[in-house]
């Protein structure tokens, strides 16, 4: 593909779909705490307006909100959910840190993670945690290319049916308004 466009999925099709082979797909949640050490975009007199864009396999592209006048670092504190296929360990998740402008966005940094690496990050940050908060002990810092760092955590998503889960709130516990 053209340079810089390898993260774009044009056709959402897999040869395994044709033969009916089951894939081990499951949802995960990607938490983004902060980005730091970003170079300024081409705008000389205005700080970066930062947002993060995520591309991975069959998932639709996802974006955080734009953090206006963020400059070289920014607290993002957002998350999004995506489906991963553990049987396709080489599929790449691409996180793009961008600066929004009036006409087009400028890429400030890029991180590409394989499904295998994503599962490793999930083991470190998501499966051992009982309480979640946006703090250094719950996230790992990864280097962006060409510069900067992004702090992420990945956790499994409980996608079971409501009748399969324990009832969290009984009718007697509910408050009347």
């Amino acid at each position: 593909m053209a340079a810089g466009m390898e993260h774009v999925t044009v056709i959402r099709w897999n040869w395994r779909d044709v033969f009916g082979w089951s894939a081990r797909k499951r949802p995960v949640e990607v938490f983004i705490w902060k980005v730091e050490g970003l170079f300024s975009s081409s705008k000389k007199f205005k700080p970066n307006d930062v947002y993060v864009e995520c591309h991975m396999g069959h998932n639709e592209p996802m974006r955080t909100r734009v953090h206006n006048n963020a400059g070289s670092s920014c607290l993002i504190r957002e998350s999004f959910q995506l489906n991963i296929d553990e049987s396709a360990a080489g599929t790449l998740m691409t996180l793009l840190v961008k600066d929004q402008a009036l006409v087009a966005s400028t890429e400030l940094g890029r991180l590409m993670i394989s499904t295998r690496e994503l599962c490793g990050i999930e083991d470190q940050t998501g499966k051992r945690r009982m309480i979640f908060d946006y703090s250094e002990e719950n996230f790992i810092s990864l280097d962006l290319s060409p510069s900067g760092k992004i702090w992420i955590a990945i956790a499994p998503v409980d996608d079971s049916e409501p009748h399969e889960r324990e009832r969290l709130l009984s009718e007697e516990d509910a408050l009347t308004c």
Side-chain angles (χ1 to χ4, degrees):
M1 264 201 137
M5 296 299 290
E6 59 274 348
H7 64 277
V8 177
T9 302
V10 178
I11 299 173
R12 298 184 197 300
W13 178 82
N14 190 325
W15 60 269
R16 294 171 191 227
D17 297 337
V18 173
F19 297 109
W21 293 339
S22 64
R24 294 188 323 240
K25 291 183 181 176
R26 64 183 181 85
V28 295
E29 189 161 6
V30 178
F31 296 89
I32 301 173
W33 178 26
K34 62 183 177 177
V35 293
E36 55 192 12
L38 302 172
F39 285 143
S40 183
S41 71
S42 60
K43 298 181 292 189
K44 302 276 188 232
F45 303 107
K46 186 173 183 315
N48 293 325
D49 295 328
V50 175
Y51 70 97
V52 178
E53 188 173 282
C54 176
H55 298 264
M56 184 175 189
H58 293 288
N59 296 283
E60 288 293 323
M62 293 163 274
R63 293 171 185 86
T64 65
R65 72 175 179 86
V66 176
H67 297 264
N68 294 315
N69 298 316
S72 64
S73 63
C74 178
L75 286 175
I76 303 287
R77 292 188 176 195
E78 294 186 47
S79 69
F80 39 80
Q81 294 182 0
L82 51 90
N83 296 310
I84 62 170
D85 182 357
E86 291 184 277
S87 60
T91 302
L92 294 175
M93 177 178 76
T94 304
L95 292 174
L96 303 169
V97 179
K98 293 186 167 186
D99 174 33
Q100 184 184 48
L102 185 60
V103 177
S105 296
T106 305
E107 185 177 312
L108 301 172
R110 170 185 295 239
L111 174 67
M112 298 177 82
I113 304 171
S114 70
T115 302
R116 179 175 288 118
E117 293 167 322
L118 194 135
C119 291
I121 293 169
E122 180 187 27
D123 286 339
Q124 291 176 354
T125 62
K127 290 186 175 177
R128 300 179 187 166
R129 170 182 78 221
M130 293 297 160
I131 299 173
F132 174 78
D133 65 338
Y134 285 95
S135 62
E136 196 166 326
E137 59 269 2
N138 292 322
F139 286 80
I140 63 166
S141 171
L142 298 170
D143 291 330
L144 295 169
S145 175
S147 70
K149 291 184 180 289
I150 187 167
W151 293 74
I152 66 170
I154 299 169
V157 173
D158 181 13
D159 212 17
S160 59
E161 293 296 321
H163 68 275
E164 295 173 352
R165 287 186 233 127
E166 293 179 7
R167 273 183 80 176
L168 297 177
L169 184 65
S170 67
E171 290 179 15
E172 295 95 32
D173 295 336
L175 296 174
T176 56
C177 296

